[in-house]
Every structure is written in structure tokens, then in C-alpha cells.
Amino acid sequence: MRKIISICFLFLSFNMYAQQRIGIDLNTRGLNLNTSIHSQKVFKHNFLYSIGIFGGNFGESGINLTKEQFDAGQRVYSPFDKLNQPFIDTINNSYTLMDYGTKGKGYGLQLGIGYFYEFSIIHGIRFNLNNRIAYMKNTQSTLYYSLTVNNGHTQIDHTNHFVGAISPEIYHTIRLSGKTTFYYGFKFPYFYSIDKGKINPKYTKDLFNAWEPELSIGLTYVVGKCD
């Protein structure tokens, strides 16, 4: 996280003259906590563009079969194709994947546009549409391969990979002072795989696949003249 903050302030030091606001927010789905740091510039009345960086914990997910499902021949497939092959033990027994879980942490860059409207001196609303590219470092997969329900093998694997997301966002803004604004709302990132050779989700419950809404709170601070 220190690297992310350092990169952001390095970026801001080169671009401060062109910025209207800088902001920071915290985001969660209950199983994760990540943050973004961004700068915004109004380019037309009530319209803005932004650039920022983000990082942190993006949660966990997985698929678990019951004994009945496994005995009936149902199978699961993790998002990482290299892990879907049977596990072969030292005496050539073949174990089939029965359960897996995925945990993701990483960081990335976001670019976006937005629109804001102020109902009064204090209250307003803001919409954003961000495009995100993220590098997920050491995404952890915990897998259970079963020979029978009571005879299995647990394996832990780590994978580095990229993912993308389109993130519509909506916030209620509350002006705290002439320069500081508090906001809260929701992000609705839609994740997609950039490199299906490394990560290729099969189920909507998989991490980094489809919609993963987040609750978001943050602050912005005016660093230049308002347009």
C-alpha cells in the first residue's frame, strides 16, 4: 500500500497545476477492503474526468460440492485451468477437484469520466464511469482434490494475473467546507478477464467475474480553482 500512495503523490506532483480536486476512498463488499486515490478535473460545466490508482483486498469466493453432488458425478472447475487437472499421488491414484476457494489482492490504474449536480450549497450527487486495469499479485487458490469423499488432498497455489473492470458509480456528496467534500455511495464494477490463459472464470460466483458491487466512502479536497 505504501508503494501505491507513493506513486499517486508522485503523479500529483507533476499534475497538480491542472487538477481541481484530489480524493481518497475506502471500498468494501464485507469480505474485502480496498482504497483508491484519484484526481479530478472539471472540463465542462458539471462534467469531469479523473485518473487514479487503487489497491487492496478484493475478497474471496469459491465453489464447494456436497458429498451427494460429488457422488452423483458433478464436478467443479476453478478459474485457473492449470489447476483443473487431476492430482496424481505417488502410487498413481487420480484425485478429482471437489472444492476450491480464491482470495485476491492487487493494485491498478483507473481512468474515468463523471457528472455532478448540486442540489444545494451542501448536498449533491455524482456519477462516475471508470475503466480499471488491475494486476493481481499472488492470487491464492485453496483446492481440495478427492479420491473419495473421505480421502483427499489439499493444495495451495498462487498466480499473478491481470483483470479489467468497467465500474459505474453513484455518490451522495456532502460539502464539509469550502474545499472539503465527504461522499458515500456504491461502485458496481463489472470484472472481465484480460488473459484467459491465466484466469478464465467459469461461474458467476467466481472472484473477478461479472458484477461485484461495493460500498464506498471518501473525501475530496479542492487543490485548484473551481471552474
Side-chain angles (χ1 to χ4, degrees):
M1 187 57 64
R2 288 195 297 269
K3 291 182 180 179
I4 293 175
I5 294 174
S6 298
I7 293 172
C8 182
F9 280 104
L10 179 63
F11 169 80
L12 290 174
S13 68
F14 286 105
N15 293 275
M16 187 69 72
Y17 71 92
Q19 305 305 324
Q20 180 184 344
R21 292 178 180 269
I22 57 173
I24 183 169
D25 57 45
L26 295 175
N27 316 286
T28 183
R29 289 189 295 122
L31 297 175
N32 69 321
L33 182 63
N34 61 80
T35 187
S36 69
I37 305 173
H38 50 87
S39 61
Q40 303 173 358
K41 172 66 178 178
V42 175
F43 66 89
K44 191 177 180 181
H45 183 63
N46 286 25
F47 286 90
L48 57 88
Y49 63 84
S50 66
I51 183 170
I53 54 178
F54 62 92
N57 187 324
F58 291 88
E60 56 186 271
S61 185
I63 302 292
N64 301 298
L65 291 183
T66 65
K67 176 182 182 300
E68 292 74 19
Q69 290 172 326
F70 187 76
D71 287 344
Q74 292 192 37
R75 296 294 180 261
V76 298
Y77 300 92
S78 86
F80 305 99
D81 289 338
K82 66 178 182 177
L83 304 176
N84 291 324
Q85 300 300 316
F87 169 77
I88 308 298
D89 67 15
T90 56
I91 57 175
N92 289 325
N93 287 320
S94 180
Y95 294 68
T96 302
L97 183 61
M98 182 176 177
D99 302 328
Y100 70 86
T102 305
K103 296 180 180 180
K105 295 181 180 180
Y107 52 88
L109 174 71
Q110 66 180 36
L111 299 170
I113 58 174
Y115 176 83
F116 65 92
Y117 179 79
E118 295 179 330
F119 299 107
S120 66
I121 296 177
I122 296 177
H123 295 281
I125 191 169
R126 189 174 85 240
F127 301 94
N128 288 95
L129 181 64
N130 282 311
N131 186 26
R132 293 177 153 196
I133 302 295
Y135 178 67
M136 298 301 168
K137 186 174 183 181
N138 292 329
T139 295
Q140 178 178 305
S141 298
T142 303
L143 310 105
Y144 179 77
Y145 296 87
S146 181
L147 180 63
T148 66
V149 172
N150 297 317
N151 184 6
H153 167 78
T154 300
Q155 177 177 324
I156 296 178
D157 182 85
H158 294 87
T159 305
N160 299 326
H161 61 91
F162 286 92
V163 296
I166 301 295
S167 181
E169 302 166 7
I170 182 170
Y171 305 102
H172 175 203
T173 61
I174 303 173
R175 190 182 298 273
L176 302 180
S177 69
K179 286 183 173 288
T180 304
T181 298
F182 170 78
Y183 63 91
Y184 68 90
F186 293 94
K187 297 183 178 182
F188 301 93
Y190 184 91
F191 283 90
Y192 56 90
S193 178
I194 294 176
D195 183 1
K196 291 187 179 295
K198 285 193 172 182
I199 178 171
N200 186 18
K202 309 296 193 301
Y203 312 101
T204 55
K205 290 178 63 176
D206 280 330
L207 201 60
F208 309 128
N209 190 32
W211 299 104
E212 297 183 11
E214 297 178 320
L215 175 66
S216 179
I217 60 172
L219 292 170
T220 60
Y221 183 79
V222 175
V223 294
K225 182 179 178 181
C226 295
D227 295 335

